[in-house]
Amino acid sequence: MASEHHSSQKIEHYPSEKILDEKHDIERSSIILEEEENSPIPEVAAIVSNKDDPSIPVLTFRFWLMAVVFSVLLSFFNQFFWFRSHPMTISTLVIQLLSFPFGRFLAAVLPAGRLNPGPFSIKEHVLVALTANCAGGTAYAVDITVIQKAFYGQDFGFLANFLLILCTQMLGYGMAGVLRRYLVYPAAMIWPANLVQVALFNTLHKDEDLKPGQWSRFKFFLVATFAMFVYQWIPGFFFPVLSSIAWICWIKPDNLVLSQLTGAGGLGFGAISLDWNNIVSFLGSPLIVPWWAQVNIGLGFLLIAWIMVPIAYYNNLWEAKKFPILTPDLFRDDGTEYVTSMIMKDNVLDEALYKDYGPLRISTFFALTYGIGFAGLASMITHTWLYHRHKLVSQWKQSREHTEDIHHKLMQAYPEVPDWWYAALFVSMTAIAIITCEVWDYKLPWWGVLLAILLAAVFALPVGLIQAITNQQPGLNIITEYVIGYILPGYPIANVTFKTLGYISMAQAMTFTSDLKLGHYMKVPPRAMFWAQLLGTVIAGLVNLLTANWLLNTQDKICTKENKLFNCPSARTFYSASVIWGVIAPDRMFGTSSMYNAINYFFIIGFLLPIPFYYLKKVFPNSWLEYVHIPVLLAATGMMPPAQAYHYTNWLVLGFAFQFFARRYHPEWHLRFTYVLSAAFDSGVAFMVLASFFIFTIRNVDAPQWWGTRGDLCPLEGNPYFPLPEEQP
């Protein structure tokens, strides 16, 4: 399932009330507001300045230099890590922290004049971070290139790949021209996650009042980065067993059930990880997710992975015991590997070959994660209606009336981006999408491209309203796969191309709109924002593709289990999804004749589940029920597979230490340093991984072999309960 989520955006699923509660404490004193006109929204009034100086230069030489350098670095790092067996995303937070001293350094050393118009301003800083934000996510369309080359033996060449990346990443930007009237200008559209960013920018640009002996944030960042760089060599190179210590399994490694339950590749009971890279691989940093959200994720994980899955597996639901307990791999009915090339001609399903070869089977766990995904999507609709309908309706009315707050008035000082810029972008990217799919053999006809874009356009405003107020983004990935799977069964590349055009266009529209709102809060000229975002997106698309091609061409057996460093867990899951929804198609996979048909009932379960909790909260106000959030709870295992169970448990332990313990008992330290520490750990790991890659991996040099480098200490964790049939001679 995570292939659906890994990509260009990692959206935090927290409602606005709670995120603001978490971050209200970010130094409200960062701005002194005078008693005069301010935003009607108290959270915004507390954090966002109601002053502006339109004379501050923005598109400076310093901006262009830093924007290009940081965009190239971030897009390279994140695409490189995406292929790794333990992937990692370096967040824009790192760029936010690094660009500040770098900007000040340039302001100090460059000659005064056009190259250096004065002190490094907060607006330049915001623009650098926004450009990097557009470059930070790995382009989803790169996944298509990867599975074509690695699994389908197909390569349309650099131009086709780049054009597909370009149009899928930029189509949504064209939609933002319409959306800004409803989602950016009105005061009621808060975009809660942006307030955290605003607070951090203000905090960085405010002189720190340091007590004697107290460290500045930047000094703390540098020391923590260096410490993690040094430490990471232990679990990352010399002693990799520390990445996943399945100590219970080691007691009796020849016991199959014990291995399945306690192995790192199984359900991970008791497995410990001392590797930051491993812990944050799929779930992101636990240091920045609010504790209430982590509790919901923990509950969801416990119910699904540690209660539902073992009960289903050991009761042999859907013949579960023929397959490993936790895997996204594809199987035949006898538990052997499902070789999709055996049922396809020219990468299209051949009915006769399929009948001979037999139906596709997946692990019960993988089937359940799809069901939970269906439930999560349906629950978000009910939850949003029950909890936010009045807010949505009133704020929609407000936005229609264009009640201008102080921020919108201050933005009148800058020329707005003309509608035709957005229209031209939208039309040209639609044309490129159609031409790319027609000229190269993506098997997606022109009407399929238009249908995908229509789906994205129809959902963009309602999804934007939900995200602007509740900070949740319902993904269109499952809907798009379902729709095209019924319309064009048997065409895997058409399926993933349609999914990318539909899902990512909408998600990119949200990214662009959210960034526009951040620019609105920080009074960055809209035209500067427009060019900065396009710059970041084009750089990222180019660098993502070049990085992917480089690794695909130089790493032996990349994206297979044989390659220990680069086995591409997200790409393998994305490939499995292309087979399930594209080759076999939903009618065969989940239709009435399928053994997995019951999965469809999860839609109904998810739709109904929030209702009793909503009314229970009314009966028992101010109880623990206040913190139960069904969509977050159901989205908990959305990253499984490829995430493994022990990632969650170790992630939650760290989350408890920082978001509960440090926040409650050391609030001042938590406010000053928790986010900085998270960014520093990410940076330290990134530098170490790249150093070890270019010093050792590229020269085929391995760490000295000893017990601590063994990967077979729990050898049965990935085995099925029933032994595989003997290979036919």
Side-chain angles (χ1 to χ4, degrees):
M1 286 290 290
S3 67
E4 337 288 13
H5 305 283
H6 89 85
S7 84
S8 32
Q9 288 65 34
K10 282 203 172 179
I11 291 111
E12 296 92 347
H13 297 272
Y14 340 131
S16 57
E17 302 87 50
K18 307 263 182 13
I19 217 179
L20 292 169
D21 168 57
E22 287 291 322
K23 282 278 101 33
H24 247 337
D25 3 316
I26 290 201
E27 303 183 57
R28 284 186 173 217
S29 58
S30 60
I31 302 163
I32 298 162
L33 294 172
E34 294 173 16
E35 287 299 322
E36 55 184 59
E37 185 177 0
N38 211 322
S39 170
I41 312 291
E43 300 95 331
V44 176
I47 290 172
V48 183
S49 172
N50 60 352
K51 305 278 188 301
D52 183 35
D53 177 2
S55 67
I56 295 174
V58 179
L59 291 175
T60 60
F61 170 75
R62 294 182 302 227
F63 156 72
W64 291 109
L65 178 66
M66 286 197 290
V68 171
V69 169
F70 284 128
S71 294
V72 168
L73 288 174
L74 196 63
S75 47
F76 167 72
F77 275 26
N78 283 343
Q79 188 64 64
F80 179 87
F81 279 107
W82 180 84
F83 279 93
R84 284 180 59 82
S85 308
H86 298 307
M88 191 173 81
T89 301
I90 298 178
S91 70
T92 318
L93 184 65
V94 174
I95 304 301
Q96 224 173 328
L97 289 164
L98 283 178
S99 57
F100 180 58
F102 193 53
R104 287 198 156 178
F105 169 74
L106 289 176
V109 298
L110 287 173
R114 289 187 64 186
L115 292 181
N116 189 358
F120 180 59
S121 71
I122 193 166
K123 292 189 184 186
E124 286 174 277
H125 192 188
V126 170
L127 213 51
V128 170
L130 284 181
T131 311
N133 194 38
C134 291
T138 52
Y140 206 67
V142 171
D143 296 21
I144 300 175
T145 302
V146 173
I147 66 165
Q148 276 183 300
K149 288 185 177 183
F151 300 104
Y152 287 108
Q154 206 174 41
D155 184 6
F156 291 158
F158 186 85
L159 182 62
N161 297 337
F162 183 64
L163 289 176
L164 188 68
I165 289 168
L166 198 66
C167 63
T168 51
Q169 292 294 100
M170 285 204 184
L171 257 166
Y173 290 0
M175 298 176 196
V178 177
L179 296 174
R180 60 187 169 159
R181 289 176 174 74
Y182 308 108
L183 300 178
V184 177
Y185 301 158
M189 298 295 136
I190 304 168
W191 293 90
N194 280 340
L195 296 180
V196 180
Q197 297 258 61
V198 173
L200 183 60
F201 279 120
N202 289 332
T203 303
L204 285 171
H205 283 266
K206 186 188 74 170
D207 289 332
E208 289 187 77
D209 298 323
L210 297 176
K211 295 167 188 159
Q214 195 174 29
W215 285 14
S216 69
R217 283 182 186 81
F218 189 60
K219 181 180 178 182
F220 182 83
F221 174 78
L222 290 178
V223 171
T225 300
F226 179 72
M228 180 51 81
F229 172 79
V230 173
Y231 169 76
Q232 187 61 28
W233 285 97
I234 303 170
F237 191 74
F238 295 109
F239 198 173
V241 163
L242 294 179
S243 285
S244 50
I245 305 167
W247 60 277
I248 303 176
C249 180
W250 299 350
I251 297 168
K252 200 166 173 36
D254 57 350
N255 184 308
L256 176 66
V257 174
L258 187 71
S259 298
Q260 287 180 328
L261 291 175
T262 63
L267 293 183
F269 286 119
I272 299 164
S273 177
L274 300 177
D275 179 353
W276 173 262
N277 184 185
N278 203 4
I279 294 167
V280 302
S281 289
F282 301 98
L283 302 167
S285 171
L287 273 57
I288 57 179
V289 179
W291 177 239
W292 72 268
Q294 296 197 31
V295 171
N296 276 284
I297 289 167
L299 277 172
F301 165 77
L302 180 73
L303 289 168
I304 298 160
W306 278 5
I307 296 176
M308 278 173 63
V309 168
I311 289 172
Y313 188 83
Y314 293 110
N315 282 304
N316 210 24
L317 175 68
W318 303 320
E319 299 180 344
K321 291 181 178 180
K322 288 183 179 178
F323 318 111
I325 195 164
L326 199 88
T327 176
D329 293 343
L330 307 172
F331 301 96
R332 297 183 72 182
D333 195 47
D334 60 1
T336 55
E337 182 191 355
Y338 200 89
V339 183
T340 42
S341 58
M342 301 290 288
I343 59 167
M344 298 169 78
K345 282 184 182 168
D346 189 29
N347 285 329
V348 177
L349 180 76
D350 183 291
E351 290 281 351
L353 290 175
Y354 173 71
K355 280 182 181 159
D356 285 348
Y357 196 65
L360 172 69
R361 304 296 306 279
I362 55 179
S363 67
T364 296
F365 163 76
F366 198 18
L368 283 172
T369 61
Y370 271 119
I372 301 295
F374 297 166
L377 195 67
S379 75
M380 205 172 292
I381 297 166
T382 318
H383 180 91
T384 304
W385 174 250
L386 288 172
Y387 290 84
H388 301 290
R389 64 183 183 280
H390 301 306
K391 207 172 183 181
L392 283 168
V393 171
S394 67
Q395 299 196 354
W396 168 249
K397 282 179 184 167
Q398 256 182 284
S399 67
R400 292 297 300 274
E401 292 158 14
H402 285 308
T403 48
E404 287 193 357
D405 67 343
I406 180 68
H407 304 298
H408 190 56
K409 285 176 184 168
L410 289 171
M411 288 300 284
Q412 304 307 308
Y414 307 101
E416 190 48 91
V417 177
D419 283 336
W420 72 264
W421 287 19
Y422 285 108
L425 189 65
F426 184 73
V427 171
S428 58
M429 289 303 144
T430 303
I432 288 174
I434 292 171
I435 291 164
T436 305
C437 289
E438 290 288 345
V439 171
W440 289 277
D441 195 19
Y442 281 98
K443 306 269 192 302
L444 185 65
W446 62 269
W447 53 262
V449 173
L450 293 178
L451 179 61
I453 295 168
L454 179 69
L455 269 174
V458 165
F459 279 97
L461 186 58
V463 168
L465 283 168
I466 293 169
Q467 194 177 345
I469 293 162
T470 70
N471 209 49
Q472 290 187 54
Q473 188 193 93
L476 297 188
N477 41 332
I478 291 175
I479 297 169
T480 48
E481 285 172 323
Y482 226 108
V483 167
I484 199 66
Y486 272 105
I487 298 172
L488 284 177
Y491 294 87
I493 303 302
N495 187 285
V496 290
T497 307
F498 182 92
K499 172 170 75 172
T500 306
L501 279 164
Y503 166 43
I504 292 304
S505 298
M506 189 277 296
Q508 287 291 89
M510 295 305 101
T511 301
F512 202 85
T513 311
S514 172
D515 286 350
L516 284 178
K517 187 68 179 189
L518 181 57
H520 192 83
Y521 282 152
M522 303 304 292
K523 318 300 175 293
V524 177
R527 292 186 179 192
M529 294 274 300
F530 183 85
W531 293 117
Q533 289 177 296
L534 292 194
L535 173 75
T537 308
V538 172
I539 288 174
L542 194 58
V543 175
N544 286 163
L545 185 55
L546 289 169
T547 309
N549 281 345
W550 167 58
L551 285 172
L552 286 165
N553 294 332
T554 58
Q555 294 303 303
D556 191 38
K557 295 183 178 172
I558 191 167
C559 299
T560 64
K561 288 178 181 173
E562 282 82 65
N563 192 319
K564 292 287 179 254
L565 286 178
F566 294 95
N567 69 22
C568 326
S570 297
R572 296 217 320 273
T573 307
F574 190 80
Y575 164 69
S576 293
S578 77
V579 176
I580 291 166
W581 299 97
V583 181
I584 309 299
D587 190 37
R588 278 195 195 87
M589 198 69 207
F590 301 114
T592 46
S593 60
S594 162
M595 69 157 58
Y596 303 113
N597 176 248
I599 289 294
N600 292 299
Y601 292 111
F602 277 86
F603 277 118
I604 300 165
I605 295 167
F607 190 78
L608 298 175
L609 204 54
I611 298 170
F613 286 95
Y614 176 73
Y615 288 106
L616 279 170
K617 281 181 195 180
K618 286 189 174 298
V619 177
F620 304 106
N622 303 320
S623 68
W624 59 272
L625 288 162
E626 287 292 316
Y627 296 96
V628 174
H629 192 283
I630 298 298
V632 173
L633 199 138
L634 289 172
T637 52
M639 291 308 295
M640 294 176 75
Q644 292 172 314
Y646 77 102
H647 290 141
Y648 279 82
T649 47
N650 288 279
W651 186 84
L652 288 161
V653 168
L654 277 182
F656 175 80
F658 286 93
Q659 279 294 341
F660 178 80
F661 185 81
R663 186 170 185 268
R664 174 168 289 192
Y665 298 108
H666 302 281
E668 281 192 19
W669 188 95
H670 170 77
L671 267 182
R672 281 176 62 81
F673 294 128
T674 294
Y675 285 111
V676 180
L677 186 69
S678 175
F681 280 3
D682 284 354
S683 306
V685 167
F687 292 134
M688 176 269 154
V689 168
L690 286 171
S692 73
F693 179 78
F694 287 110
I695 296 168
F696 299 112
T697 311
I698 219 159
R699 294 185 173 88
N700 292 319
V701 177
D702 291 324
Q705 296 301 302
W706 65 295
W707 177 83
T709 57
R710 283 178 57 183
D712 60 349
L713 295 172
C714 189
L716 304 181
E717 63 186 15
N719 283 20
Y721 189 84
F722 294 147
L724 288 173
E726 292 298 319
E727 292 295 322
Q728 298 298 315

